[in-house]
């Protein structure tokens, strides 16, 4: 049995919150010192769908509560003092101007592989959401953690999921197989397509020495760099129900990563 | 010759595959036979945009002239033209999550 990666633990925390919210009208986040984007984005989707409320009376967490309330009202959220940038994607609108907010996550302390690699990484995952998910709600949040020296960026959509996308094209896989095939570049739209996700994984794992979690349907796949030169995969399965409807991709990038030549990972 | 400046038409950062489709829809509707695509101020482009751009450029009957392509963007076009390498990360057994 392997240790549960922290990114997956954050997702499990979301499941814990939804269990609490199912039994109550609101959720108190006072006790939480940190709520990572991996927990927060599916939670925001959940409270919006179920019309629940997140409350807090603790002084330190009031900022989180305010940020949640603001992000529910507005299309984008910029909190430079909190090192937090978040955007909502509009299914009927080009996301280019919206993404400018997210690009601010990069700064002198957090290079994220340089401007080109970072924008490509964000762009490929955003294009995937538009191309495949049929979302009505899609959220992206990036946050820098100075003390922990990493940035976490989460992409969440409430669409048809990766297994659902393959199924629509007549390709029947288990949820884990489907997510794994997507990471290897099997496209639902032709042989020369499907390079966006493998490219992103290559940049994150090999180029930026980061880690990545993909959760879709009942599957959760975690990729990280270890002794194997192109990284290793840990595969998890939610035994009962998927934790949410849609797809979540979360990445963590160490602050120390300098500018990379992103073309090496294509 | 009709000129289309991508940074004005879309953005400095070209993201969506559909945007490349839209570009060529506009080009096809143009009465001009010679079209200039101006890449000035384009700072980034996804592989998805680049791939769709190249496919549409191959298909069109219009004469396409490109200008002001930065080294980065040129490099990306070259990379997209090359066949993808299969990526085979190691795969461990599936761990059940009992929730």
């Amino acid at each position: 049995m392997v240790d549960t990666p922290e990114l997956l633990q954050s997702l499990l925390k979301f499941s814990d919150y939804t269990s609490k919210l199912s039994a109550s009208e609101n959720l108190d986040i006072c006790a939480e010192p940190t709520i990572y984007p991996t927990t927060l984005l599916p939670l925001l989707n959940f409270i919006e769908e179920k019309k629940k409320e997140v409350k807090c009376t603790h002084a330190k967490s009031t900022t989180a509560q305010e940020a949640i309330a603001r992000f529910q009202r507005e299309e984008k959220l910029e909190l430079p003092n909190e090192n937090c940038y978040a955007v909502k994607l509009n299914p009927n609108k080009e996301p280019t101007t919206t993404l400018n907010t997210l690009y601010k996550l990069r700064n002198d302390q957090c290079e994220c592989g340089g401007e080109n690699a970072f924008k490509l990484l964000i762009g490929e995952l955003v294009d995937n959401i538009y191309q495949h998910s049929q979302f009505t709600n899609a959220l992206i949040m990036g946050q820098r953690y100075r003390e922990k020296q990493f940035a976490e960026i989460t992409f969440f959509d409430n669409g048809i999921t990766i297994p659902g996308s393959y199924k629509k094209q007549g390709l029947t896989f288990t949820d884990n197989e489907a997510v794994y095939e997507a990471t290897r570049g099997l496209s639902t739209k032709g042989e020369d397509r499907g390079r966006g996700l493998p490219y992103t994984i290559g940049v994150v794992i090999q180029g930026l020495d980061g880690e990545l979690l993909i959760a879709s349907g009942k599957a959760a796949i975690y990729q990280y760099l270890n002794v194997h030169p192109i990284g290793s995969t840990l595969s998890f399965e939610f035994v009962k129900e998927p934790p949410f409807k849609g797809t979540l991709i979360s990445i963590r990038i160490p602050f120390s990563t300098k500018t990379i030549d992103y073309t090496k990972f294509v | 010759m009709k000129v289309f400046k991508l940074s004005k038409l879309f953005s400095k950062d070209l993201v969506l595959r559909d945007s490349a489709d839209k570009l060529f829809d506009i080009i096809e509707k143009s009465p001009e036979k010679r079209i200039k695509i101006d890449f000035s101020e384009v700072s980034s482009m996804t592989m998805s945009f680049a791939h769709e751009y190249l496919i549409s450029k191959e298909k069109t009957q219009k004469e396409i002239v490109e200008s002001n392509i930065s080294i980065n963007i040129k490099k990306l076009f070259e990379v997209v033209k090359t066949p993808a390498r299969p990526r085979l990360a190691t795969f461990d057994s599936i761990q059940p999550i009992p929730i």
Side-chain angles (χ1 to χ4, degrees):
Chain A
M1 193 78 179
V2 291
D3 288 341
T4 308
E6 205 179 20
L7 276 175
L8 184 59
Q9 285 177 30
S10 298
L11 187 57
L12 297 179
K13 185 164 271 182
F14 158 73
S15 296
D16 182 38
Y17 284 162
T18 54
S19 304
K20 285 177 185 164
L21 271 169
S22 299
S24 161
E25 278 310 300
N26 57 58
L27 174 73
D28 195 335
I29 53 170
C30 292
E32 299 301 334
T34 309
I35 301 176
Y36 291 108
T38 305
T39 308
L40 192 56
L41 293 197
L43 182 65
L44 281 169
N45 182 65
F46 182 87
I47 57 181
E48 197 172 306
E49 280 181 358
K50 308 283 180 191
K51 309 287 177 215
K52 301 278 185 174
E53 201 180 335
V54 174
K55 279 187 172 180
C56 189
T57 47
H58 187 273
K60 197 181 172 191
S61 296
T62 308
T63 320
Q65 189 189 357
E66 281 170 9
I68 290 169
R70 262 186 65 190
F71 193 41
Q72 283 180 298
R73 288 193 306 268
E74 296 162 22
E75 276 202 353
K76 57 186 181 180
L77 182 71
E78 290 185 31
L79 301 170
N81 293 335
E82 306 289 326
N83 298 301
C84 176
Y85 301 88
V87 297
K88 280 178 196 163
L89 299 180
N90 181 335
N92 303 311
K93 200 175 147 192
E94 294 258 345
T96 38
T97 352
T98 321
L99 294 180
N100 287 335
T101 298
L102 212 60
Y103 297 151
K104 293 176 186 170
L105 185 72
R106 265 192 73 255
N107 67 10
D108 292 343
Q109 283 82 50
C110 178
E111 282 193 49
C112 296
E115 185 183 354
N116 290 324
F118 184 67
K119 284 183 172 176
L120 246 84
L121 189 156
I122 301 281
E124 295 299 342
L125 292 177
V126 167
D127 185 60
N128 266 354
I129 293 175
Y130 276 87
Q131 283 284 312
H132 304 287
S133 78
Q134 300 175 16
F135 70 95
T136 54
N137 191 25
L139 311 165
I140 310 171
M141 177 180 273
Q143 182 137 14
R144 293 185 296 263
Y145 296 93
R146 261 186 218 150
E147 283 178 17
K148 296 178 181 180
Q149 287 287 295
F150 67 77
E152 181 169 313
I153 311 164
T154 299
F155 301 75
F156 173 84
D157 74 69
N158 68 347
I160 61 170
T161 74
I162 295 170
S165 184
Y166 282 125
K167 198 174 173 187
K168 216 176 138 204
Q169 298 300 316
L171 297 166
T172 310
F173 295 120
T174 65
D175 288 5
N176 273 85
E177 285 168 347
V179 175
Y180 186 59
E181 289 297 339
T183 67
R184 296 179 63 223
L186 177 67
S187 174
T188 56
K189 301 202 173 186
E191 272 183 23
D192 55 345
R193 298 271 299 266
R195 291 167 78 171
L197 189 56
Y199 161 76
T200 306
I201 294 169
V203 168
V204 172
I205 309 298
Q206 294 165 261
L208 305 177
D209 198 9
E211 51 189 304
L212 177 139
L213 174 77
I214 305 174
S216 194
K218 284 184 170 183
I221 276 184
Y222 172 76
Q223 298 213 350
Y224 64 109
L225 193 67
N226 64 357
V227 286
H228 197 281
I230 57 166
S232 280
T233 302
L234 297 176
S235 192
F236 300 88
E237 183 181 42
F238 291 90
V239 175
K240 292 175 189 165
E241 291 291 324
F244 51 78
K245 181 186 163 287
T247 299
L248 174 141
I249 299 183
S250 260
I251 57 182
R252 280 189 179 179
I253 306 167
F255 271 14
S256 54
T257 313
K258 300 290 177 198
T259 299
I260 58 163
D261 177 2
Y262 59 87
T263 57
K264 280 185 183 170
F265 307 99
V266 178
Chain B
M1 185 185 331
K2 177 85 178 166
V3 180
F4 291 102
K5 189 170 179 179
L6 293 182
S7 63
K8 281 213 169 151
L9 204 54
F10 299 106
S11 156
K12 290 196 298 182
D13 304 299
L14 303 169
V15 176
L16 298 186
R17 184 177 285 273
D18 286 349
S19 302
D21 270 340
K22 271 183 203 163
L23 169 67
F24 278 87
D25 282 347
I26 298 167
I27 288 171
E28 294 302 336
K29 282 176 189 158
S30 166
E32 306 270 347
K33 199 172 176 194
R34 290 192 80 211
I35 304 288
K36 188 178 196 175
I37 300 179
D38 183 358
F39 282 78
S40 59
E41 294 172 23
V42 171
S43 73
S44 79
M45 181 190 288
T46 60
M47 288 198 304
S48 308
F49 182 98
H51 183 244
E52 199 63 27
Y53 176 92
L54 292 173
I55 290 173
S56 303
K57 190 179 140 188
E58 183 91 11
K59 280 184 194 162
T60 185
Q61 299 294 311
K62 307 269 183 183
E63 187 186 334
I64 306 289
V65 180
E66 289 148 344
S67 68
N68 302 311
I69 306 185
S70 70
I71 295 168
N72 269 333
I73 302 295
K74 261 186 199 161
K75 208 169 169 185
L76 187 72
F77 275 133
E78 287 310 310
V79 165
V80 171
K81 281 178 197 168
T82 59
R85 292 190 300 262
R87 195 176 174 282
L88 298 164
T90 57
F91 192 85
D92 296 329
S93 59
I94 297 169
Q95 311 288 321
I97 302 170
I99 57 169

